Amino acid sequence: MAAGLRAVRRWGLVAAPPSLAFTRSAFVVKKANNAQPNWPGVGLAFGTSAVLWALLIKQHNEDVMEYERRKARAHKCKQCS
């Protein structure tokens, strides 16, 4: 039994516990400098948000106008016919 377990370990079939001494994040290259914000990134984030909100409001207004147009066309009563 012990020989089989050694063979499994030798061939790398058992996952080894991660070593915290040699792990690091691939996304953190340097420490963030909070004294100098990334202004182009901030502007891009807020600008994108503003554009998306403008498109959302424009689409909503178009949808409301289409709803009103269809509602007015579908109006059927004895006085109008």
Side-chain angles (χ1 to χ4, degrees):
M1 179 77 179
L5 186 57
R6 275 182 276 172
V8 168
R9 284 187 186 156
R10 182 182 306 148
W11 292 329
L13 298 175
V14 175
S19 173
L20 296 178
F22 297 108
T23 60
R24 67 178 185 167
S25 175
F27 301 105
V28 177
V29 177
K30 60 182 180 177
K31 281 191 155 187
N33 185 1
N34 294 329
Q36 296 177 340
N38 180 7
W39 290 115
V42 171
L44 183 65
F46 280 113
T48 303
S49 179
V51 167
L52 288 175
W53 272 105
L55 290 174
L56 179 72
I57 291 169
K58 179 180 175 256
Q59 183 65 46
H60 172 72
N61 290 337
E62 290 175 1
D63 290 344
V64 168
M65 286 185 350
E66 178 70 16
Y67 170 76
E68 294 294 334
R69 186 183 66 80
R70 289 185 182 194
K71 188 171 125 183
R73 187 172 45 163
H75 177 76
K76 302 223 176 185
C77 65
K78 293 182 179 177
Q79 295 172 350
C80 297
S81 316

